[in-house]
Amino acid sequence: MVVRRSRRGEVMKKISEAVVRRLPVYLQVLSDLSKRDVQTVSSQELGNKLDLNPAQIRKDLAYFGEFGRKGIGYDVSYLIEKIRQILKLDQGLNVGLVGAGNLGRALCNYNTYLKDNMKITAVFDANPAMIGVAINSLVVMPMDQLKDIVVARNIRIGIITVPAAEAQNVADGFVEAGVEGILNFAPTILRVPEHVRIHYADFTTELLSLAYYLEKEGDETDEPVMD
Amino acid sequence: MVVRRSRRGEVMKKISEAVVRRLPVYLQVLSDLSKRDVQTVSSQELGNKLDLNPAQIRKDLAYFGEFGRKGIGYDVSYLIEKIRQILKLDQGLNVGLVGAGNLGRALCNYNTYLKDNMKITAVFDANPAMIGVAINSLVVMPMDQLKDIVVARNIRIGIITVPAAEAQNVADGFVEAGVEGILNFAPTILRVPEHVRIHYADFTTELLSLAYYLEKEGDETDEPVMD
DNA sequence: TAGATTGTTAATCGATTAACAATC
DNA sequence: TAGATTGTTAATCGATTAACAATC
């Protein structure tokens, strides 16, 4: 079995993607609780809110440390702080976006949504007509400045909101410029080197799979039967 | 074990969400192949393109029927047709959207992306200033018309693109109006009755979990070690 | 103390992968 | 026919859940 070790040599349990993907969800609920001045929360309560098994929540968190207190639960503020550290949100991450179309502009305006020290700090577009256009406090820049700006502003994450046909080119540009992660909104699969992480945010997948679960038009429900 | 049976009494294998979620991805790749006039494709080739195990692809498809030919592979056009049927994309599905903000408008303009017979056919907003505004061929309508329009236009899927704080109200409205599925873009968990399917398209989850995989600032890579 | 709740091990469940007979 | 590739069963792998000692 391949095992990672930290510099100090402790075995690092390989943490699955499913676990990592739940962390932002925990963060969301914890932020709500914090706003409502809740001090402490148990895995049971979190599980109720999220439709998740409490044991799973405890196990997820335990991968990263002992954040709870037996008999008490988790301190909301402390847990928020810890999860933010795990997700590197304590660092201040700069994000670049390519594709100043409708979706791209929406994301720029959402910049408050991307709170947590993550911020879109540069927007690019291939269309000459878009260059110089202001989106909030950002000004659209031409693609030939991508690399320079990414380096200059220490941009570590790239967002792609161009049509599918151009997405691979943009990804290549981001990779060459040295970003470490890419979030792709175009409905297409991209090839990037192993050292670059790529996540997909293609809502068409969610929308089309949603259709599967609709009742077939004019179909009666079939009865579940015990076997 | 709980088993579903069709009206004719055959046992219907319970199909996992993971399988259903891969179907739109297959569809996407198959569409590309079709555009390039490829007639036939093997699970091996599909697997290469998608970084998926060929056996998994064969198994996924076999849940729904025998679509391939031994020794030959899958006929691209036929498989597209079949997957479209499975996802009910052959039916013509009407979609309603609440929240004519930046993201909502982006999705309306994306209406071509939602090809495949799925179409946003009504847009609503709670803000009086937005009522009557044209987005493409759509005109923003007030919330008090939601139910009537959903019924009149046979809208079966609702999209939510309002701020998190209002999302639950909108969801309740959709449910009351009788939609069967909801796609929620707001970064919050919603409660809906069991008979309504809900999918989440919150990109903040993808973005925050992406940050986890960045190299820690100023950290050397740890070496994988065999155990 | 008694009750609550964590962190963690063991048991279960389900999903992915390998292997192969069937067959084009 | 020989080679290729499916559909499917069996084996493996990994993720979720249950259970419980530790302890607040």
Side-chain angles (χ1 to χ4, degrees):
Chain A
M1 192 180 124
V2 178
V3 169
R4 285 185 146 273
R5 286 177 193 280
S6 74
R7 235 160 312 143
R8 271 181 255 92
E10 314 98 335
V11 172
M12 295 164 78
K13 281 159 282 183
K14 170 84 178 101
I15 288 153
S16 81
E17 296 191 21
V19 173
V20 174
R21 203 156 302 208
R22 281 191 293 268
L23 295 178
V25 183
Y26 297 156
L27 198 52
Q28 187 188 96
V29 173
L30 290 165
S31 299
D32 283 351
L33 291 171
S34 178
K35 267 178 215 139
R36 288 163 37 213
D37 287 318
V38 176
Q39 306 291 312
T40 292
V41 70
S42 69
S43 59
Q44 181 69 59
E45 290 166 308
L46 285 175
N48 289 151
K49 284 187 189 301
L50 294 166
D51 279 329
L52 247 39
N53 185 303
Q56 180 169 67
I57 295 173
R58 294 199 299 279
K59 200 161 204 272
D60 283 356
L61 297 173
Y63 281 114
F64 303 99
E66 304 200 358
F67 302 146
R69 292 218 295 158
K70 293 190 173 74
I72 309 288
Y74 299 91
D75 181 273
V76 173
S77 304
Y78 181 70
L79 191 51
I80 288 176
E81 189 191 321
K82 283 300 173 185
I83 296 181
R84 284 173 53 87
Q85 276 171 20
I86 296 164
L87 293 176
K88 304 197 179 68
L89 298 175
D90 53 341
Q91 284 191 37
L93 285 170
N94 293 334
V95 178
L97 182 146
V98 175
N102 283 297
L103 182 57
R105 289 200 293 268
L107 296 182
C108 290
N109 288 317
Y110 262 177
N111 235 343
T112 47
Y113 261 104
L114 322 179
K115 51 180 179 292
D116 296 312
N117 286 335
M118 248 201 225
K119 214 174 172 188
I120 297 175
T121 52
V123 184
F124 304 86
D125 202 290
N127 179 357
M130 286 300 299
I131 311 303
V133 171
I135 301 173
N136 280 357
S137 55
L138 297 166
V139 173
V140 179
M141 289 179 285
M143 288 301 288
D144 58 21
Q145 289 193 35
L146 181 65
K147 186 164 183 181
D148 287 350
I149 298 282
V150 163
V151 173
R153 299 195 188 168
N154 190 27
I155 288 173
R156 301 173 69 192
I157 290 181
I159 296 182
I160 298 178
T161 49
V162 299
E166 295 158 39
Q168 183 64 60
N169 273 340
V170 173
D172 294 345
F174 268 135
V175 169
E176 217 220 298
V179 303
E180 299 166 48
I182 291 176
L183 182 61
N184 176 38
F185 282 82
T188 187
I189 285 149
L190 301 177
R191 297 284 159 192
V192 293
E194 260 203 21
H195 66 276
V196 176
R197 177 91 193 172
I198 186 152
H199 281 200
Y200 294 89
D202 175 20
F203 67 88
T204 56
T205 301
E206 287 303 328
L207 190 59
L208 297 189
S209 63
L210 184 56
Y212 172 83
Y213 294 98
L214 302 181
E215 284 299 320
K216 215 174 183 71
E217 197 90 290
D219 201 38
E220 306 96 285
T221 315
D222 299 310
E223 293 296 318
V225 167
M226 299 307 273
D227 235 22
Chain B
M1 193 179 123
V2 178
V3 169
R4 282 186 148 271
R5 286 176 193 278
S6 73
R7 234 161 314 143
R8 270 181 257 92
E10 315 98 333
V11 173
M12 294 164 79
K13 279 159 284 184
K14 170 86 179 103
I15 289 152
S16 82
E17 295 191 22
V19 173
V20 174
R21 204 156 301 211
R22 281 192 292 267
L23 295 178
V25 183
Y26 297 156
L27 199 52
Q28 186 190 96
V29 173
L30 290 165
S31 299
D32 283 352
L33 291 171
S34 179
K35 268 178 216 140
R36 289 164 37 215
D37 286 318
V38 177
Q39 305 291 312
T40 292
V41 69
S42 69
S43 59
Q44 181 68 60
E45 290 167 309
L46 285 174
N48 288 152
K49 284 188 191 297
L50 294 165
D51 278 331
L52 246 39
N53 184 303
Q56 181 169 66
I57 295 173
R58 293 199 299 278
K59 200 161 203 273
D60 283 355
L61 297 173
Y63 281 113
F64 303 98
E66 305 200 357
F67 301 146
R69 294 217 296 157
K70 294 190 174 72
I72 309 286
Y74 299 90
D75 181 273
V76 173
S77 305
Y78 181 70
L79 191 52
I80 287 176
E81 189 191 321
K82 282 300 172 186
I83 296 181
R84 285 173 53 88
Q85 276 172 19
I86 295 164
L87 293 176
K88 305 197 179 70
L89 297 175
D90 53 341
Q91 285 190 36
L93 286 169
N94 293 334
V95 178
L97 182 146
V98 174
N102 283 295
L103 181 57
R105 288 200 295 268
L107 296 181
C108 290
N109 288 317
Y110 262 179
N111 237 340
T112 47
Y113 262 104
L114 322 179
K115 50 180 179 296
D116 297 312
N117 286 335
M118 248 200 225
K119 215 174 172 186
I120 298 175
T121 51
V123 185
F124 304 87
D125 202 290
N127 179 356
M130 286 300 300
I131 312 304
V133 171
I135 302 175
N136 281 355
S137 56
L138 298 166
V139 174
V140 179
M141 290 180 284
M143 288 302 288
D144 57 21
Q145 290 193 34
L146 181 65
K147 186 164 182 182
D148 286 351
I149 298 282
V150 163
V151 172
R153 299 196 187 166
N154 189 29
I155 288 172
R156 302 173 67 192
I157 291 181
I159 297 182
I160 298 178
T161 50
V162 300
E166 296 157 40
Q168 182 64 59
N169 273 340
V170 174
D172 294 345
F174 268 135
V175 169
E176 217 219 299
V179 304
E180 298 166 49
I182 291 176
L183 183 61
N184 176 37
F185 282 82
T188 188
I189 285 149
L190 301 178
R191 297 282 157 193
V192 294
E194 261 204 18
H195 67 274
V196 176
R197 178 91 193 173
I198 186 152
H199 282 199
Y200 295 89
D202 175 20
F203 67 89
T204 56
T205 300
E206 287 302 330
L207 191 58
L208 298 189
S209 62
L210 184 57
Y212 172 84
Y213 294 98
L214 302 182
E215 284 300 320
K216 214 171 186 72
E217 197 91 290
D219 201 39
E220 308 98 281
T221 316
D222 299 309
E223 294 295 318
V225 168
M226 297 308 274
D227 236 23

